[in-house]
Amino acid sequence: MKDKINADMCKHINEPDDKFCSHRCIRFTLEAEDKLIQPGHMEGYGGYNTRGESYDFTNFYMMHNDKPYIPVVGEFHFSRFAYLQWEEELLKMKAGGVHIVATYIFWNFHEEQEGEFNWSGNLNLRQFVELCGKHELALILRIGPFCHGEVRNGGLPDWLFNYAFEVRSNDEGYLFYAKRFYQEITRQIEGCFYQDGGPIIGIQLENEYMHAGAPMDSWGYSQDKYISSGRDGKEHMELLRRIAENAGMKPMFYTATAWGKAAVPAHGTLPMLAGYAYTPWVPNQPPSGEYLFRDLHLNPAEEVDYDSKQYPAAYCELAGGMQVSYHARPVVDADSVEAMTIVKLANGSNMVGYYMYHGGSNPIGCKTYMNERGLPKVTYDYQAPLGEFGRIGESYDRIRSLSMFLEAYGEQLAPMGCVVSEDQLTIAPENTLDLRWSVRQRSGAGFLFINNYQDHIQMPARDIRLELLTSQGNAIFPYEEGTMQLNSGKAVILPFHLDLGGIKLISATVQPLTKFQVKEELTAVFYAHEGMTPEYVIDASSVASVQMTAGTVREQDGKYVLHPVAGKNDGFSVSTMDGKVIRIVTLTREEALQSYLFELGGEKRLVISSSHIYQQNEQLISTSVGQSEFEVSIYPAPERITAPEYTIISRMQQQQWFVTYTLQVCVYQPEVEINYPKEHAASLKINTCWPEQVHDLFVEIDYEGDVAAAYIHQQLLTDHIQYGHTWNIGLKQSRHLLHDHALRLLITPLRKGKTEHFVNQAYVERFHGVELGRFEHIRIVPHYRVALKFS
């Protein structure tokens, strides 16, 4: 059955009443029927691996090991990163909440010259696949032949255009070479599919077929010449699938980019969606509709070529950032990434995939650069959560916190249907007055989603109060008198009528982060958004007692109303009538964004640190940017930790639940000699004999100018288009070159004035004005590294 919303369900209450005093309130009657879960068109396209683990699908969600599952997918192009650091970056992705890695295989990277395939070094697909398998990261390969990915010719080799056939079609000449390419890929990944015990669960054929092409950079004459978007529709996609299968590819399922009415085969192919708000391809872009609440399962955001009700709503390209181009230089902030994720989850997305999750650098070809025109030659940083040289951005923490929520509550959230009130359907992106909110629910229990972010518009902070009238009773946010403040640019998820280990959480003004067992007792972790006073309303019928270290507890009308103090050093415990104990921690927002959940010493542990952390075997690897002293808090406390000799554990503090270690390493002042041979140029001679506590050095450059480039000896290391943010260059990958050569930085000035154009036998350009190009600040920042061992 479909979710139903009657026209009179939602009322805005502007008049004071006994319960709400003079506060403006939204009251909503939740009468939607539960989502009907059916097999759908992906039925039978799952399978088992050699360890008995499994994937499967319904029409509404993916299943993993027979349970509803909402995975996080992270795009990382192996061929755009140094292969010696792949393992570290994959571990950072895993710590950041990624469950499935997606990667393009760019044809022109591997066969730049006809008949000469290269699968070595940074192009070693087999090594990358095996590393994903080693660290239990599932993998989706996006094999083209056309990929796009802002690569020259969309990934098609230049030599392909020397022939008379039509690319991206059923032309036999084109298919001959596509078949040969697929056979080469198959040779590299033999035995690596999921059912063989490997990590590859899916394969994407083509990209945006029948929707979009790419600049034909091999043409070299006209900027208006584009590669065809395709012309043979689903027939071509089915033909590519047969070619792939005949070559030996046997994934459980295929995927297809499905936006813009792109071609999607009828069965066995999962349609994948995209969400971008900062889009260089839309001139003078207005505010987008990406932050509005809609039911994606019933009504996709744009026209599609498949029956959306027969497939899970799945995203492969939520904007983890955006690539800066010469003519469009958008800034994608962390608030936008977080808000879009929350809105898409509210709208029924049951797979969250980020493009890009990890940036990188284009390889330099034998004959040309491999970038798409108008884009940087080398850098593909993308402002991603993990950047070109492994830089960790602010959105990394935002995505991880949401992934922790999905790991803990995804099994409950996945079958919940979307309930979007009628007034939400009339809100335009430019509307800053009306509150944006939505619900996912099943049997009167679920999650309330509220969004106060909109791209290209500053949303006002607002005081809000909501009441949901459900079959399980009313849930009020906040329950006590007054309102809660929703700050500008923020989006939140709040639970109602949530079964929490045997107690019923009627409502809470705190966001769920994670939950895990500690010695057979459930620990549930929430966090308080700024402006929202922490409040829990718990059904008293199943509660024997409540113990709180700091805050207030009040029992009224069969409910416990608790207002704890936010912070890891305090919490409360609820004992149930049947003897269970549920421990509840309320973190601050800052602490939540510094939180990780790892399996260490045989049990789950929550780790909070201002440093960034990933797990390698039984070690916690902690990296700190520029700070030689930092804290690591762990719950439950380990018996003992050890650190390298160069690390001092200056103190250990035992709080109620967490133990906090303060770690110190020797401060390192990088040795660098900077010369400025001219105003627009700088030369850095850097001592590469770093001490063992230093894992990497980053050059952070603030400059005024148009574009810039960095060279080592005769090699272009990376480049940069100025978009108002600091230019970051990691040196670890190039340390061996820096031993003998300087890092040279060159700025192309920004012109302010007028340019005169005329023809006098030849084209002449004369500029009248000033050229601005100067370095404002260059600094070298050490990234410290400490490996903590548990015993």
Side-chain angles (χ1 to χ4, degrees):
M1 299 180 184
K2 297 180 179 179
D3 292 339
K4 296 191 305 181
I5 304 176
N6 297 326
D8 61 348
M9 275 188 184
C10 186
K11 297 190 296 182
H12 292 276
I13 310 297
N14 293 292
E15 309 262 307
D17 61 21
D18 291 339
K19 183 68 182 173
F20 299 104
C21 302
S22 60
H23 302 307
R24 185 178 186 275
C25 160
I26 292 175
R27 178 181 290 165
F28 182 79
T29 303
L30 186 61
E31 293 180 345
E33 298 178 359
D34 287 349
K35 173 68 70 174
L36 182 62
I37 309 299
Q38 298 175 313
H41 284 347
M42 292 299 294
E43 181 184 16
Y45 290 95
Y48 289 83
N49 68 7
T50 54
R51 298 183 296 274
E53 300 163 334
S54 66
Y55 287 96
D56 207 343
F57 293 92
T58 71
N59 69 323
F60 198 49
Y61 53 80
M62 187 183 230
M63 291 190 292
H64 186 34
N65 297 332
D66 300 321
K67 295 180 180 180
Y69 179 54
I70 304 181
V72 173
V73 184
E75 188 92 9
F76 178 27
H77 299 157
F78 67 97
S79 54
R80 281 171 154 161
F81 209 83
Y83 73 97
L84 293 176
Q85 277 80 54
W86 281 346
E87 183 165 26
E88 177 184 346
E89 300 308 304
L90 287 170
L91 289 170
K92 285 160 64 176
M93 291 178 70
K94 187 172 183 177
V98 170
H99 309 106
I100 302 172
V101 175
T103 191
Y104 274 135
I105 303 175
F106 295 112
W107 189 354
N108 55 357
F109 286 11
H110 296 280
E111 194 187 5
E112 185 182 357
Q113 301 185 72
E114 184 178 353
E116 299 179 14
F117 284 93
N118 184 358
W119 300 99
S120 63
N122 296 350
L123 303 178
N124 192 332
L125 171 62
R126 179 75 182 206
Q127 181 180 341
F128 183 78
V129 172
E130 289 179 344
L131 283 172
C132 289
K134 175 182 176 181
H135 296 294
E136 299 181 336
L137 286 162
L139 182 60
I140 295 175
L141 296 179
R142 306 174 81 180
I143 67 172
F146 176 87
C147 293
H148 200 186
E150 291 70 65
V151 165
R152 181 179 176 87
N153 306 323
L156 299 178
D158 280 25
W159 56 262
L160 206 61
F161 298 94
N162 296 339
Y163 294 97
F165 51 69
E166 182 179 355
V167 301
R168 304 187 80 189
S169 76
N170 289 343
D171 188 304
E172 287 297 328
Y174 169 68
L175 292 177
F176 170 82
Y177 289 103
K179 178 179 179 180
R180 191 184 66 173
F181 178 50
Y182 279 11
Q183 289 171 337
E184 283 290 324
I185 294 174
T186 304
R187 288 178 56 212
Q188 303 302 314
I189 60 176
E190 184 179 357
C192 294
F193 288 95
Y194 187 74
Q195 58 269 36
D196 300 322
I200 302 172
I201 60 172
I203 285 178
Q204 178 186 303
L205 301 172
E206 251 286 341
N207 189 63
E208 298 179 332
Y209 191 70
M210 301 292 292
H211 168 61
M216 188 183 286
D217 292 306
S218 65
W219 182 258
Y221 300 105
S222 171
Q223 291 191 354
D224 298 324
K225 183 66 176 177
Y226 272 71
I227 295 168
S228 166
S229 62
R231 63 172 172 83
D232 294 315
K234 294 181 182 180
E235 181 187 354
H236 181 66
M237 297 292 284
E238 295 283 6
L239 185 52
L240 286 180
R241 176 171 176 165
R242 289 197 295 273
I243 292 172
E245 290 174 343
N246 289 337
M249 296 190 201
K250 47 182 180 179
M252 290 185 293
F253 59 92
Y254 289 85
T255 73
T257 49
W259 53 89
K261 211 174 180 181
V264 178
H267 289 276
T269 299
L270 178 66
M272 306 283 273
L273 302 172
Y276 292 102
Y278 297 88
T279 51
W281 54 88
V282 179
N284 302 315
Q285 182 191 326
S288 75
E290 300 293 345
Y291 302 94
L292 302 176
F293 290 109
R294 302 289 186 268
D295 187 336
L296 288 170
H297 198 238
L298 299 179
N299 300 294
E302 57 181 303
E303 192 175 8
V304 295
D305 189 36
Y306 61 93
D307 183 355
S308 63
K309 296 181 288 297
Q310 295 297 322
Y311 300 90
Y315 275 84
C316 65
E317 291 196 18
L318 275 183
M322 179 52 65
Q323 180 69 337
V324 176
S325 67
Y326 188 77
H327 297 290
R329 309 183 184 196
V331 176
V332 181
D333 61 29
D335 283 347
S336 72
V337 177
E338 181 178 25
M340 188 183 292
T341 305
I342 288 174
V343 168
K344 300 310 180 188
L345 288 171
N347 291 352
S349 175
N350 279 333
M351 179 183 286
V352 181
Y354 294 96
Y355 189 101
M356 296 290 295
Y357 187 92
H358 201 309
S361 309
N362 289 322
I364 297 174
C366 299
K367 297 183 177 180
T368 185
Y369 292 107
M370 306 304 286
N371 62 302
E372 182 176 290
R373 67 168 174 259
L375 297 177
K377 293 182 176 69
V378 172
T379 184
Y380 198 67
D381 180 80
Y382 213 84
Q383 304 174 55
L386 295 175
E388 179 182 15
F389 297 99
R391 164 199 55 78
I392 297 178
E394 189 179 352
S395 57
Y396 177 82
D397 297 327
R398 309 292 185 90
I399 292 171
R400 186 181 65 254
S401 69
L402 292 171
S403 178
M404 290 172 69
F405 162 70
L406 293 176
E407 289 176 4
Y409 296 95
E411 185 178 346
Q412 294 165 274
L413 177 63
M416 291 180 176
C418 307
V419 182
V420 184
S421 67
E422 291 181 357
D423 64 331
Q424 290 295 308
L425 301 178
T426 64
I427 293 178
E430 297 78 10
N431 184 332
T432 62
L433 298 177
D434 291 315
L435 178 68
R436 303 178 186 188
W437 65 277
S438 184
V439 166
R440 281 185 71 170
Q441 72 87 40
R442 193 166 190 84
S443 302
F447 298 93
L448 170 66
F449 299 82
I450 311 173
N451 174 41
N452 200 27
Y453 181 92
Q454 175 64 55
D455 62 283
H456 298 87
I457 288 179
Q458 180 73 25
M459 299 290 279
R462 50 184 100 229
D463 292 320
I464 59 176
R465 186 175 182 82
L466 295 96
E467 180 177 6
L468 299 177
L469 286 68
T470 82
S471 59
Q472 296 195 32
N474 295 0
I476 308 170
F477 306 87
Y479 181 80
E480 297 281 57
E481 298 292 338
T483 60
M484 55 186 181
Q485 180 175 303
L486 182 63
N487 290 335
S488 175
K490 303 305 177 186
V492 302
I493 304 172
L494 305 178
F496 62 93
H497 298 304
L498 185 66
D499 182 354
L500 200 61
I503 63 173
K504 182 178 180 181
L505 182 58
I506 297 172
S507 65
T509 61
V510 289
Q511 183 158 324
L513 180 65
T514 188
K515 60 181 178 179
F516 54 99
Q517 296 290 127
V518 178
K519 293 181 171 58
E520 300 183 355
E521 293 181 352
L522 179 67
T523 295
V525 185
F526 297 78
Y527 69 91
H529 285 271
E530 296 175 2
M532 292 187 175
T533 301
E535 177 189 82
Y536 298 81
V537 181
I538 299 174
D539 187 337
S541 62
S542 61
V543 175
S545 64
V546 177
Q547 293 184 331
M548 179 180 285
T549 58
T552 64
V553 181
R554 181 169 61 87
E555 186 176 4
Q556 176 185 341
D557 301 329
K559 304 178 182 68
Y560 281 100
V561 182
L562 302 95
H563 291 97
V565 174
K568 67 179 185 292
N569 296 335
D570 295 294
F572 63 91
S573 299
V574 179
S575 299
T576 66
M577 293 296 186
D578 57 2
K580 295 180 182 177
V581 177
I582 294 94
R583 301 178 183 271
I584 297 179
V585 182
T586 309
L587 302 178
T588 65
R589 163 93 163 159
E590 181 182 17
E591 290 170 339
L593 294 178
Q594 296 175 352
S595 294
Y596 301 76
L597 190 64
F598 296 114
E599 182 89 28
L600 289 163
E603 58 183 321
K604 290 285 183 70
R605 299 183 194 271
L606 186 66
V607 180
I608 301 175
S609 179
S610 57
S611 64
H612 283 104
I613 295 174
Y614 63 88
Q615 182 181 358
Q616 189 165 24
N617 301 321
E618 279 295 305
Q619 293 186 112
L620 283 184
I621 310 299
S622 179
T623 60
S624 175
V625 179
Q627 299 297 319
S628 61
E629 179 178 305
F630 51 93
E631 291 185 347
V632 177
S633 299
I634 305 171
Y635 167 75
E639 291 184 10
R640 182 170 175 265
I641 67 167
T642 57
E645 291 183 358
Y646 60 75
T647 306
I648 299 173
I649 302 178
S650 59
R651 61 181 179 274
M652 182 186 76
Q653 184 178 1
Q654 179 72 59
Q655 290 98 10
Q656 183 189 9
W657 293 338
F658 285 86
V659 60
T660 298
Y661 301 91
T662 301
L663 307 175
Q664 288 181 316
V665 297
C666 291
V667 175
Y668 176 63
Q669 186 62 47
E671 298 176 26
V672 57
E673 178 185 330
I674 304 178
N675 295 304
Y676 298 91
K678 61 179 182 178
E679 185 180 13
H680 307 153
S683 175
L684 285 68
K685 184 61 179 174
I686 302 165
N687 184 353
T688 58
C689 296
W690 311 337
E692 56 185 337
Q693 75 269 23
V694 175
H695 184 53
D696 201 353
L697 295 182
F698 266 70
V699 184
E700 297 182 355
I701 307 146
D702 295 313
Y703 70 94
E704 186 175 25
D706 190 17
V707 299
Y711 292 85
I712 301 179
H713 194 37
Q714 299 175 350
Q715 176 180 326
L716 175 61
L717 174 64
T718 188
D719 49 351
H720 188 262
I721 293 176
Q722 178 60 267
Y723 68 107
H725 280 223
T726 298
W727 181 20
N728 291 276
I729 304 174
L731 301 181
K732 177 175 58 178
Q733 298 175 10
S734 306
R735 187 176 179 180
H736 61 295
L737 297 174
L738 291 169
H739 181 75
D740 298 314
H741 304 285
L743 177 68
R744 293 180 288 118
L745 307 175
L746 301 174
I747 298 173
T748 299
L750 178 67
R751 286 179 166 182
K752 291 192 175 182
K754 294 182 179 180
T755 304
E756 178 185 4
H757 307 272
F758 60 91
V759 177
N760 179 13
Q761 293 185 327
Y763 177 82
V764 178
E765 177 181 292
R766 289 178 180 166
F767 173 70
H768 306 280
V770 295
E771 292 187 331
L772 303 176
R774 64 185 181 90
F775 293 97
E776 297 177 343
H777 195 63
I778 299 175
R779 55 194 170 274
I780 313 294
V781 179
H783 287 212
Y784 298 104
R785 181 184 187 273
V786 172
L788 299 176
K789 294 183 180 180
F790 283 61
S791 58

